[in-house]
């Protein structure tokens, strides 16, 4: 075939494919336009999973009547005007592609009135061509209605997923922007049913309540908005991290609850996801992911949003600084605010409180409300107060007294935390204590375990195991970490190899597993000296109030609460 110039209609349809992939992309582009127009209210309505109808209404600045047609031409925008502007983009749109792209694959109806103009404009476009124009009375703002999306692009239609899936993509777009802009009132109607409404009062907490519900919201910790970036060094890092993160008690099994915004632009960012997950290091169980709503503010020159057609990815010029700032800020918020669970919270906030301990406090709990108190009343814990050991309960819990009440400590969980920190420290200093076995012990593995063992052999060595192949899926173990000598290290190894066949952070898992297998057990009687020593060690660690699996090591009964309980009835 000879090379020839494509018909403009075909060109615009091809180009539309980049921006308008599915109904949710249309919603995203229109909502972004409303946000760029400084709207304080944005309402989104969809029918037939967005294929029959998408309508976005805002009370923003509107389009002047002389520019409405122009806005539907390719590469026309009011947001940037020269090459320099492209370096410092603060608006969500800037390419002038969305309206023409949408109009190329649907029938579009727009009613808009610019601030300062007495009458608005109503324009109808079919296949990107203006069909009708008239004057129209309305208050400032814009309503864009998109009918019959992709009707003339059957390939796209075929590519769409079920109605429920497309609706959930649409809901996700509106939800994310509702979280990014708590000062804006958002409403979403799907097939006539209102599925989201935010108050627009500027309180992120209120948007989180609408999106995730009260229970999650109660467990969200605020990231203190520190001007000037990490440790206040504005001249070094003008990056600001703000938002909320979930306490480790409300983790999720997917990454779908991580929302990131950069200068309020909703982005997918592996870098930020990793930074946040690292901040939860040692606070969440394996396979669990946090909930987070985080906005990063930084000078627009320090990032490039022009790297992806849908503008959902950004490139930071100083990725490692963004990473470290996000990781440290979130980590600090967590360490400062992760609460020691109060007696009345234990049942609601955590799944595995010690059963005997629960029985002990049943009477104290019965009269109190069942919902957790708001976050602000929880005890921040950076380090433990000095604790005096009173005794042991059920051979499993250490009763101690601090200056602000009673602390009941789970001896196994507490020891796990102490050992976990110690193991990690020894390894980082390459000072793991090793104990040679009197005679080598054979250790057999199944094929799957062998694969895991082979590929992670070096890590085991770093942690103090000396293992060599003896052929036929049999290994000889000559030395083990000193902590595990006299313990069931073979059982631990087997468990570890099984748990890691699906991947994961090996070093972390070995440390957790070693701590768990070498810690004192529940049911083990401890002498007063042993208890005192354990508490003293617990006082030294960075996160004394959770074990490495993220479960609480202690519960706290404040003096006030104790008095209240006794005056009840
Ligand atoms: P971009 O957002 O990249 O500028 P669009 O094609 O999305 O490109 O929009 C083109 C222009 O139309 C915008 O630059 C803006 O001036 C105008 N516009 C679009 N939607 C709205 C709206 N809801 N309110 C006010 N102006 C709008
Ligand atoms: Mg736009």
């Amino acid at each position: 075939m000879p090379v020839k110039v494509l018909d403009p209609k075909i060109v615009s349809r091809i180009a539309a494919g980049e921006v308008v992939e599915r109904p949710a992309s249309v919603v995203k582009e229109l909502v972004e336009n409303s946000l760029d127009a400084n709207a304080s209210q944005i309402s989104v309505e969809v029918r037939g999973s967005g294929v029959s109808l998408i309508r976005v209404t805002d009370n923003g600045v509107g389009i002047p009547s002389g520019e409405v047609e122009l806005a539907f031409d390719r590469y026309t925008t009011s947001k940037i005007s020269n090459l320099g502007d492209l370096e410092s983009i603060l608006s969500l749109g800037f390419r002038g592609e969305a309206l023409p792209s949408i109009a190329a694959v649907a029938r579009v109806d727009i009613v808009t009135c610019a601030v300062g103009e007495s009458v608005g404009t109503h324009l109808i476009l079919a296949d990107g061509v203006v069909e009708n124009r008239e004057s129209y009375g309305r208050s400032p703002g814009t309503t864009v209605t998109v009918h019959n999306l992709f009707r003339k692009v059957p390939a796209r239609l075929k590519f769409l997923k079920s109605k429920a899936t497309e609706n959930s993509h649409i809901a996700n777009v509106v939800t994310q922007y509702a979280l990014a802009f708590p000062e804006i009132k958002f409403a979403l109607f799907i097939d006539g049913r209102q599925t989201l409404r935010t108050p627009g009062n500027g309180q992120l907490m209120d948007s989180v309540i609408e999106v995730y519900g009260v229970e999650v919201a109660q467990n969200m910790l605020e990231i203190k908005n520190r001007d000037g970036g990490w440790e206040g060094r504005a001249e070094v890092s003008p990056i600001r991290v703000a938002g909320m993160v979930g306490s480790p008690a409300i983790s999720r099994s997917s990454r779908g609850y991580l929302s990131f915004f950069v200068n309020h632009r909703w982005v997918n960012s592996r870098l930020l996801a990793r930074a946040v997950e690292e901040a939860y290091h040692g606070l969440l169980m394996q396979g669990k992911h946090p909930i987070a709503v985080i906005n990063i503010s930084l000078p627009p020159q320090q990032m490039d949003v022009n790297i992806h057609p849908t503008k959902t990815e950004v490139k930071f010029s100083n990725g490692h600084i963004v990473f470290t700032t996000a990781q440290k800020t979130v980590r600090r918020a967590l360490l400062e605010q992760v609460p020691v669970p109060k007696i009345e919270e234990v049942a609601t906030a955590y799944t595995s409180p010690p059963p005997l301990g629960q029985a002990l406090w049943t009477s104290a709990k019965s009269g109190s409300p069942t919902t957790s108190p708001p976050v602000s009343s929880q005890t921040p814990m950076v380090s433990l107060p000095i604790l005096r050991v009173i005794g042991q309960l059920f051979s499993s819990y250490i009763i101690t007294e601090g200056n602000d009440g009673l602390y009941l400590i789970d001896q196994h969980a507490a020891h796990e935390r102490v050992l976990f920190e110690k193991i990690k420290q020894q390894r980082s200093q390459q000072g793991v204590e090793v104990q040679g076995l009197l005679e080598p012990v054979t250790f057999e593995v199944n094929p799957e375990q062998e694969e895991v063992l082979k590929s992670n052999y070096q890590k085991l060595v770093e942690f103090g195991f000396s293992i060599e192949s003896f052929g036929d899926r049999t290994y000889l173990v000559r030395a083990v970490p000193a902590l595990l000598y006299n313990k069931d290290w073979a059982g631990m190894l087997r468990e570890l190899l099984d748990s890691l066949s699906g991947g994961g952070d090996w070093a972390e898992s070995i440390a957790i597993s070693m701590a768990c297998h070498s810690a004192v057990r529940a049911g083990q009687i401890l002498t007063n000296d042993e208890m005192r020593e354990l508490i003293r060690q617990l006082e030294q660690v960075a996160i004394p109030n959770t074990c490495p699996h993220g479960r609480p090591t202690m519960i706290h009964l404040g003096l006030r609460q104790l008095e209240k309980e006794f005056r009840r009835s």
Side-chain angles (χ1 to χ4, degrees):
M1 266 205 294
V3 176
K4 59 176 188 270
V5 177
L6 285 172
D7 180 273
K9 257 193 183 170
I10 303 179
V11 171
S12 56
R13 217 169 266 171
I14 292 173
E18 299 222 314
V19 188
V20 187
E21 191 189 316
R22 58 181 355 141
S25 345
V26 173
V27 173
K28 176 170 179 289
E29 293 294 338
L30 295 180
V31 167
E32 288 185 351
N33 280 347
S34 299
L35 290 164
D36 282 341
N38 282 327
S40 63
Q41 290 184 24
I42 300 175
S43 167
V44 179
E45 185 189 339
V46 300
R47 290 186 184 275
S49 66
V51 172
S52 319
L53 176 138
I54 294 172
R55 176 175 291 139
V56 176
T57 303
D58 68 55
N59 63 350
V61 296
I63 308 177
S65 71
E67 298 173 11
V68 187
E69 281 90 345
L70 199 58
F72 282 88
D73 280 348
R74 195 158 290 281
Y75 312 125
T76 52
T77 178
S78 56
K79 300 170 192 175
I80 57 171
S81 55
N82 57 46
L83 208 53
D85 291 347
L86 206 52
E87 311 274 294
S88 55
I89 293 166
L90 276 169
S91 57
L92 297 170
F94 54 86
R95 293 203 189 114
E97 277 182 325
L99 292 185
S101 296
I102 296 166
V105 291
R107 188 180 169 82
V108 175
D109 185 308
I110 180 170
V111 178
T112 183
C113 180
V115 171
E117 292 192 357
S118 54
V119 63
T121 310
H122 178 196
L123 202 67
I124 298 175
L125 298 98
D127 295 331
V129 179
V130 177
E131 249 187 12
N132 193 30
R133 171 192 239 270
E134 59 184 358
S135 296
Y136 204 94
R138 69 156 284 165
S139 52
T142 303
T143 301
V144 178
T145 311
V146 177
H147 300 275
N148 295 332
L149 183 64
F150 298 141
R151 203 186 44 164
K152 300 222 168 128
V153 202
R156 282 274 145 187
L157 266 187
K158 246 200 307 203
F159 168 83
L160 296 185
K161 300 275 173 1
S162 71
K163 278 193 167 190
T165 305
E166 295 303 329
N167 280 340
S168 83
H169 283 294
I170 291 167
N172 192 34
V173 168
V174 182
T175 299
Q176 296 301 330
Y177 275 116
L179 290 171
F181 292 88
E183 66 278 20
I184 294 172
K185 247 187 196 168
F186 279 89
L188 171 63
F189 298 86
I190 295 180
D191 294 324
R193 202 166 36 86
Q194 178 152 32
T195 56
L196 181 77
R197 180 180 53 199
T198 61
N201 59 6
Q203 300 295 320
L204 176 58
M205 180 57 118
D206 289 330
S207 305
V208 170
I209 290 176
E210 293 304 327
V211 171
Y212 289 134
V214 176
E215 205 169 316
V216 165
Q218 276 179 336
N219 282 290
M220 293 296 277
L221 313 171
E222 192 187 341
I223 299 171
K224 299 278 162 31
N225 200 342
R226 291 175 214 278
D227 278 310
W230 177 242
E231 281 166 4
R233 292 172 304 173
E235 68 287 5
V236 179
S237 168
I239 301 168
R240 266 179 27 188
V241 182
M244 302 187 107
V245 290
S247 94
I250 50 163
S251 60
R252 293 289 184 267
S253 27
S254 86
R255 292 201 173 84
Y257 293 77
L258 293 172
S259 303
F260 297 113
F261 312 101
V262 178
N263 291 342
H264 293 277
R265 176 191 305 281
W266 173 37
V267 296
N268 291 321
S269 169
R270 298 251 306 254
L271 177 127
L272 290 173
R274 262 197 300 121
V276 169
E277 299 226 313
E278 239 173 64
Y280 280 79
H281 195 80
L283 292 170
L284 290 181
M285 276 194 252
Q286 282 257 326
K288 291 289 183 186
H289 304 279
I291 301 179
V293 180
I294 290 176
N295 184 56
I296 309 273
S297 313
L298 81 176
Q301 299 80 0
Q302 294 190 8
M303 63 166 189
D304 190 355
V305 287
N306 201 12
I307 58 167
H308 196 266
T310 60
K311 300 165 287 173
T312 46
E313 269 159 44
V314 289
K315 198 162 160 250
F316 299 107
S317 33
N318 291 312
H320 66 285
I321 299 183
V322 174
F323 180 92
T324 315
T325 310
Q327 189 261 341
K328 287 191 171 168
T329 312
V330 172
R331 181 80 175 166
R332 182 140 84 181
L334 285 168
L335 294 191
E336 281 176 0
Q337 299 179 74
V338 168
V340 177
K342 293 257 176 39
I343 296 289
E344 80 261 44
E345 281 172 48
V346 172
T348 50
Y350 295 96
T351 45
S352 55
L356 290 174
Q358 235 181 351
L360 176 71
W361 298 110
T362 314
S363 57
K365 207 178 114 29
S366 55
S368 51
T370 49
T371 51
S372 321
V375 172
S376 57
S377 75
Q378 293 174 341
T379 318
M381 163 137 298
V382 185
S383 61
L384 264 184
I386 303 291
L387 299 177
R388 185 173 73 84
V389 172
I390 296 172
Q392 197 184 20
L393 185 71
F394 305 123
S395 311
S396 300
Y397 306 98
I398 304 174
I399 309 170
T400 68
E401 175 195 29
N403 55 3
D404 57 348
L406 177 144
Y407 287 79
L408 193 60
I409 295 175
D410 179 325
Q411 65 192 38
H412 174 68
H415 199 201
E416 259 185 321
R417 167 55 74 186
V418 166
L419 292 175
F420 176 68
E421 304 278 337
K422 186 168 155 187
I423 292 163
K424 275 199 316 187
Q425 195 192 8
Q426 283 185 353
R427 177 185 174 239
S428 68
Q429 298 167 350
Q430 294 172 353
V432 177
E433 289 165 33
V434 176
Q435 176 69 56
L437 303 177
L438 290 177
E439 277 180 12
V441 175
T442 54
F443 179 72
E444 285 176 23
V445 292
N446 67 31
E448 213 180 335
Q449 290 169 332
E450 179 158 51
E451 287 313 303
V452 182
L453 178 58
K454 272 190 192 150
S455 48
N456 296 284
Y457 172 79
Q458 190 51 36
K459 291 260 165 27
L460 284 170
V461 173
E462 284 167 32
F463 278 94
F465 285 95
S466 166
I467 301 180
E468 58 196 59
S469 175
F470 199 51
D472 224 15
R473 295 211 305 269
T474 306
Y475 288 79
L476 277 188
V477 181
R478 295 189 180 277
V480 297
L483 273 172
L484 289 171
Y485 191 68
N486 283 339
K487 307 268 168 152
D488 178 21
W489 53 261
M492 182 217 113
L493 269 183
R494 220 159 262 129
E495 233 177 76
L496 192 66
L497 296 175
D498 287 339
S499 72
L500 284 165
S501 55
D505 180 346
W506 248 77
E508 173 91 1
S509 304
I510 297 175
I512 291 180
S513 193
M514 278 174 62
C516 182
H517 277 78
S518 45
V520 293
R521 308 255 130 214
Q524 197 170 326
I525 296 171
L526 301 179
T527 65
N528 268 346
D529 280 348
E530 285 169 335
M531 287 190 281
R532 270 199 294 273
E533 180 55 22
L534 175 54
I535 300 302
R536 198 190 58 74
Q537 291 177 355
L538 191 63
E539 284 164 4
Q540 317 284 318
V541 302
I543 317 161
N545 51 321
T546 60
C547 80
H549 302 98
R551 290 190 286 264
T553 55
M554 62 183 72
I555 49 182
H556 175 214
L557 182 61
L559 186 57
R560 282 244 183 83
Q561 198 195 343
L562 201 60
E563 287 169 352
K564 208 171 80 196
E565 293 299 336
F566 278 111
R567 298 212 180 105
R568 204 187 284 278
S569 90

